[in-house]
């Protein structure tokens, strides 16, 4: 005699439990992966930077290969181009800030005095705040000497990371043709096609993001730099370079670089010029949001601004400024992988087998 078993939970509850188990499993794997990346950040950071550099410089390397240049020489020339561009931009920014730093601080002090004259007690409090900040900096300067060794250690670590990243870019470019074979040999044979497709989509997403962001950053830097030069804002070239560098942090980078440009204009040229600089920055952002970004994103993986901001926030909480720089390209790679999985398995799940009479 057969007895029918009544399930302990109804069907909707069992589906919900299954989905909760999947979400918990994915979250656990992601948490362990992030924890491992933080623990081994000394090795992980150069690899991630090298992947971004390889994605950005891939077109130059392939162009050199089409010109019949050997793979090793093409990779070496590409790495040399990285050194030239990044080193030049860093030098311009640092030199401009060193050249105009004292002038900006003097202008800020004068602005505090002007506010004290016009606004009385409120301005006086600002002047007191400036004096307290100066005293605090003087006291900090007395104790800062003890941190010189740790500071040199940080600089040494940054240089080692940069050198390792450049070496990895060289090898990633030179041996890029072997990457697919290594991936297929690493994964089980039944999933090699899917793994290859996911890897290609992820790398294409990162490559599209890096090239698109570089184009947008260059246009923003040129337009804002021209405006600053016309308005005779001190350090215009350095501020334009700062706009270019911070553009790799979407939304937040534009806000930070624009705020610095307006602050410098306010400190040195006055309120009217600062308003003109603000207008130029806002106009460039309008051009970027309505012309450049749609044109670029139509060829790359599209990400909602809310997802971008959440990724930046999460990256900052995990790895600070470096996390902010890496968060969006990693999110683009994850979006590309999810798109490939949805294209492969979502369409398959949506088709129902034909019924035969």
């Amino acid at each position: 005699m057969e007895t029918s078993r009544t399930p302990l939970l109804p069907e909707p509850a069992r589906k919900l439990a299954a989905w909760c188990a999947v979400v918990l499993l994915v979250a656990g794997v992601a948490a362990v992966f992030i924890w491992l990346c933080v623990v081994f950040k000394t090795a992980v950071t150069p690899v991630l930077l090298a992947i971004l550099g390889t994605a950005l410089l891939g077109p130059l390397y392939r162009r050199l290969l089409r010109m019949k240049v050997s793979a090793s020489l093409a990779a070496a020339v590409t790495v040399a181009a990285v050194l030239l561009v990044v080193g030049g931009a860093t030098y311009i920014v640092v030199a401009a800030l060193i050249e105009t730093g004292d002038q900006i601080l003097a202008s800020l002090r004068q602005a505090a005095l002007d506010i004290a004259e016009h606004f009385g007690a409120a301005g006086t409090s600002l002047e007191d705040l400036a004096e307290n900040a100066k005293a605090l900096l003087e006291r900090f300067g007395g104790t800062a000497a003890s941190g010189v060794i740790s500071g040199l250690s940080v600089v040494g670590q940054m240089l080692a990371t940069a050198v390792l990243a450049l070496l990895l870019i060289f090898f990633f470019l030179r041996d890029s043709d072997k990457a697919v074979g290594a991936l297929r040999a690493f994964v089980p044979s039944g999933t090699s096609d899917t793994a290859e497709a996911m890897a290609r989509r992820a790398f294409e997403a990162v490559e599209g993001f890096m090239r698109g962001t570089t184009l947008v950053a260059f246009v923003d830097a040129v337009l804002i730099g021209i405006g600053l030069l016309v308005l005779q804002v001190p350090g215009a070239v350095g501020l334009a370079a700062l706009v270019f560098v911070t553009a790799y942090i979407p939304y937040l980078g534009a806000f930070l670089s624009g705020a610095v440009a307006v602050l410098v204009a306010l400190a040195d040229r006055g309120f009217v010029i600062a308003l003109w600089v603000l207008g130029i920055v806002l106009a460039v952002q309008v051009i970027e949001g309505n012309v450049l970004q749609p044109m670029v994103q139509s060829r790359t993986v599209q990400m909602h601004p809310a997802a971008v901001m959440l990724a930046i926030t999460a990256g900052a909480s995990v790895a600070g400024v470096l996390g902010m720089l890496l968060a969006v390209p990693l999110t683009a790679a994850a979006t590309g992988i999810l798109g490939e999985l949805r294209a492969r398995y979502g369409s398959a799940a949506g088709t129902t087998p034909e019924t035969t009479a």
Side-chain angles (χ1 to χ4, degrees):
M1 181 179 180
E2 296 183 359
T3 59
S4 61
R5 293 184 177 180
T6 303
L8 296 176
L9 295 174
E11 184 67 19
R14 283 184 289 162
K15 288 184 177 180
L16 178 62
W19 276 110
C20 289
V22 171
V23 170
L24 288 175
L25 178 61
V26 172
V29 172
V32 172
F33 177 76
I34 294 174
W35 177 76
L36 289 174
C37 289
V38 173
V39 171
F40 298 102
K41 62 180 180 180
T42 305
V44 173
T45 300
V47 173
L48 294 178
L49 293 176
I51 292 174
L52 297 184
T54 304
L56 178 61
L57 300 168
L60 174 60
Y61 172 74
R62 291 190 291 269
R63 181 180 294 273
L64 291 174
L65 290 182
R66 288 195 295 268
M67 296 171 61
K68 306 302 181 182
V69 179
S70 64
S72 298
L73 181 58
V77 171
T78 305
V79 171
V82 175
L83 282 174
L84 181 62
V85 173
V86 175
T90 303
Y91 173 79
I92 290 174
V93 173
V94 173
L97 292 178
I98 291 176
E99 180 182 355
T100 60
D102 293 337
Q103 182 180 2
I104 292 172
L105 291 177
S107 301
L108 288 174
R109 181 175 177 82
Q110 184 60 43
L113 294 175
D114 294 339
I115 292 174
E117 293 179 0
H118 288 88
F119 294 98
T124 303
S125 63
L126 288 175
E127 175 65 16
D128 294 338
L129 180 61
E131 292 293 338
N132 293 333
K134 180 180 178 181
L136 180 61
L137 287 175
E138 290 176 353
R139 289 196 298 269
F140 176 75
T143 60
S146 61
V148 170
I149 296 179
S150 61
L152 292 176
S153 176
V154 172
V155 172
Q157 184 177 358
M158 292 176 61
L159 290 176
T161 300
V163 171
L164 181 56
L166 289 173
L167 291 175
L168 289 175
I169 290 174
F170 172 81
F171 290 117
F172 287 173
L173 288 172
R174 192 192 66 176
D175 301 328
S176 57
D177 55 338
K178 304 175 183 177
V180 175
L183 177 64
R184 296 182 70 92
F186 181 76
V187 300
S189 58
T191 60
S192 57
D193 292 338
T194 303
E196 179 183 348
M198 291 168 57
R200 288 186 182 276
R201 282 291 295 270
F203 187 78
E204 289 172 0
V206 174
E207 188 176 26
F209 169 81
M210 292 300 295
R211 284 191 291 176
T213 302
T214 302
L215 174 62
V216 172
F218 179 76
V219 174
D220 287 355
V222 169
L223 294 178
I224 293 178
I226 292 174
L228 295 176
L229 287 173
V230 171
L231 295 173
Q232 297 181 354
V233 176
V237 177
L239 292 172
L242 183 64
V243 170
F244 179 82
V245 173
T246 56
Y248 286 94
I249 306 176
Y251 305 111
L252 183 60
F255 172 78
L256 293 177
S257 59
V260 171
V262 173
L263 181 62
V264 172
L266 177 64
D268 188 79
R269 300 300 311 281
F271 184 72
V272 176
I273 299 298
L275 286 180
W276 276 102
V277 172
L278 178 61
I280 291 174
V281 172
L282 293 178
V284 171
Q285 295 306 313
V286 169
I287 295 174
E288 174 188 333
N290 294 279
V291 179
L292 293 177
Q293 287 289 357
M295 180 180 66
V296 171
Q297 286 189 352
S298 63
R299 303 178 182 180
T300 60
V301 176
Q302 299 185 14
M303 292 180 291
H304 195 276
V308 173
M309 294 302 297
L310 289 175
I312 293 174
T313 304
S317 64
V318 173
V321 177
L322 183 62
M324 296 169 66
L325 291 171
L326 296 175
V328 181
L330 291 178
T331 304
T335 304
I337 292 174
L338 292 176
E340 179 65 26
L341 291 176
R342 185 168 56 249
R344 281 177 169 264
Y345 299 107
S347 59
T351 58
T352 57
E354 297 181 359
T355 58
T356 58

